[in-house]
Amino acid sequence: MSMSKNIQEIIQQHDIVLFDEICVLCNGWAKFLIQHDSQARFKLASVQSPLGQEILKYYAMPTDHFDTMLVIKNTQVYSESTAFLKVIEELGLPFSCLKIGYLIPKFIRDFLYRRIALNRYCLFGTTDQCLLPSHENKKHFLDSAVYEYT
C-alpha cells in the first residue's frame, strides 16, 4: 500500500488535530483535548512527526513552518480560527458555547488567531518535552490508532 493511499485511509477513518509539539500553548491545547474529548473523537498528531508530515504533504500544506493548528474533520481540512471552532463545537457544554465565535466575521477571527499564532513562542515559550501517549491517553493519539489499524 502506498503512503498516500495509507494517509487517505487514515484521514477517512479519523478526525485529526495536527499541533506543533514544541509550542507550549499547542501542547496545552492537546492536553486540554485529552482531558475534555472523553470520546476521543479527535486524534492528535504533531506536525513534526512523520505521520503529521505526510498529512501536511497530502493537503499541500507547508512542512517546514507551522503557523496554525490544522483540523481534519470528515476529510475536510480547517485552519486558524475555524479549526479551533470545529473542535470546540464537538466538545459539548460548556465549551461548545464558544461556537458563537462563528458570528464574528472570519477575517476578524483569523486576524486575532494569527496574532497569537505568530507570537506563540515569544508569549508562551517552547518545550523540548513532546507530549507522548501514555497508557491512559493513547486513544487520543493518531499514531496509536494507526498502528492498531495497519
Side-chain angles (χ1 to χ4, degrees), residues 2-124:
S2 73
M3 179 59 85
S4 62
K5 178 143 172 69
N6 190 27
I7 292 298
Q8 196 172 21
E9 289 176 3
I10 291 166
I11 290 166
Q12 290 172 347
Q13 293 172 352
H14 302 285
D15 291 335
I16 302 165
V17 174
L18 289 175
F19 70 100
D20 181 354
E21 74 181 24
I22 67 166
C23 169
V24 171
L25 177 63
C26 304
N27 269 283
W29 171 243
K31 289 175 184 176
F32 175 85
L33 289 176
I34 290 168
Q35 183 177 358
H36 297 288
D37 181 12
S38 58
Q39 303 295 314
R41 285 171 280 226
F42 290 96
K43 300 298 182 192
L44 298 166
S46 82
V47 291
Q48 290 91 349
S49 71
L51 187 53
Q53 289 283 298
E54 288 300 319
I55 293 169
L56 290 171
K57 288 176 194 170
Y58 181 84
Y59 283 104
M61 301 295 289
T63 59
D64 56 347
H65 68 278
F66 317 109
D67 296 334
T68 180
M69 162 185 62
L70 290 179
V71 170
I72 297 133
K73 189 170 188 294
N74 300 322
T75 71
Q76 297 295 310
V77 67
Y78 301 95
S79 63
E80 298 184 329
S81 65
T82 304
F84 171 78
L85 292 170
K86 288 292 180 185
V87 173
I88 220 70
E89 68 185 328
E90 294 289 327
L91 294 184
L93 292 172
F95 309 108
S96 61
C97 291
L98 292 174
K99 68 184 174 184
I100 196 167
Y102 282 118
L103 296 175
I104 299 169
K106 185 176 181 341
F107 76 93
I108 295 173
R109 286 188 281 127
D110 285 348
F111 174 81
L112 296 172
Y113 183 97
R114 281 191 293 273
R115 296 293 62 79
I116 295 169
L118 293 173
N119 295 296
R120 69 190 185 278
Y121 296 149
C122 292
L123 294 171
F124 301 99

